[in-house]
């Protein structure tokens, strides 16, 4: 039985033991080295229509399809840099700001003051309220698009 030269991809789709020239390598991405080698996000340059229908994502899907056939899968150099507002540090800072505001709102409530005076358990900050503060705008916009999508499907079928 002759040995084959092809490498089987692992669960993530990367070919194990492949060289950098021909296929993805076993080398893991080290975030401490920075993200400068990532290309700028296509979402950043996408127009409103492209963002609504995720047209800009087609570029990375094409790269993914091509690299899957040629080198066994994508690696970190094929991906885009995240937009600043989507990076975990920025989202966490925003979340902490909303959490603090919600804490202050709870502490200013009559229910909190009565619980302090009576020595009963204090009301807590509700995680849902913090998420609502942080993501309500995006959820409303997504809901509007979803509504129009559903209406268009009903009217087309009728």
């Amino acid at each position: 039985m002759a040995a084959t030269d092809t490498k089987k991809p692992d669960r993530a789709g990367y070919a194990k033991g492949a060289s950098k020239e021909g296929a993805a390598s076993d080398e893991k991405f080290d975030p401490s080295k920075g993200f400068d080698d990532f290309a700028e996000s296509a979402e950043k340059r996408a127009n409103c229509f492209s963002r609504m229908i995720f047209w800009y994502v087609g570029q990375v899907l094409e790269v993914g399809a091509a690299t899957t056939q040629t080198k066994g899968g994508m690696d970190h150099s094929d991906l885009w840099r995240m937009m600043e507002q989507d990076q975990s540090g920025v989202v966490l800072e925003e979340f902490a700001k909303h959490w603090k505001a919600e804490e202050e709102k709870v502490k200013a409530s009559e229910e909190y003051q009565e619980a302090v005076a009576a020595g009963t358990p204090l009301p807590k900050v509700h995680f849902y309220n913090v998420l609502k503060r942080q993501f309500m705008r995006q959820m409303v916009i997504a809901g509007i698009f979803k509504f129009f999508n559903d209406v268009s499907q009903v009217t087309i079928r009728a």
Side-chain angles (χ1 to χ4, degrees), residues 148-158:
F148 284 115
N149 179 50
D150 292 350
V151 168
S152 71
Q153 289 180 3
V154 169
T155 56
I156 290 173
R157 290 182 190 155

Side-chain angles (χ1 to χ4, degrees), residues 43-147:
E43 184 180 5
K44 198 172 194 175
R45 345 178 261 283
N47 62 34
C48 181
F49 181 73
S50 178
R51 285 182 187 210
M52 282 191 300
I53 63 169
F54 297 97
W55 188 266
Y56 64 92
V57 177
Q59 296 169 353
V60 79
L61 295 177
E62 288 175 13
V63 169
T67 57
T68 299
Q69 293 173 356
T70 59
K71 62 180 188 175
M74 296 174 71
D75 60 13
H76 74 277
S77 64
D78 296 322
L79 302 176
W80 303 320
R81 198 173 320 135
M82 287 181 71
M83 292 190 42
E84 188 174 337
Q85 72 261 18
D86 295 333
Q87 293 178 359
S88 61
V90 174
V91 172
L92 182 60
E93 284 177 25
E94 189 77 14
F95 183 84
K97 181 180 82 172
H98 291 299
W99 185 272
K100 193 76 169 163
E102 193 63 29
E103 271 184 334
E104 291 171 7
K105 181 180 170 184
V106 168
K107 288 180 180 178
S109 70
E110 277 186 43
E111 183 183 354
Y112 184 87
Q113 302 305 328
E114 291 170 3
V116 169
T120 58
L122 301 174
K124 297 179 180 178
V125 174
H126 293 281
F127 185 69
Y128 171 76
N129 290 341
V130 178
L131 289 178
K132 189 170 66 173
R133 280 177 174 258
Q134 185 162 0
F135 298 112
M136 181 59 82
R137 190 178 117 239
Q138 292 99 320
M139 296 305 290
V140 166
I141 292 170
I144 290 169
F145 283 120
K146 172 78 169 120
F147 172 77

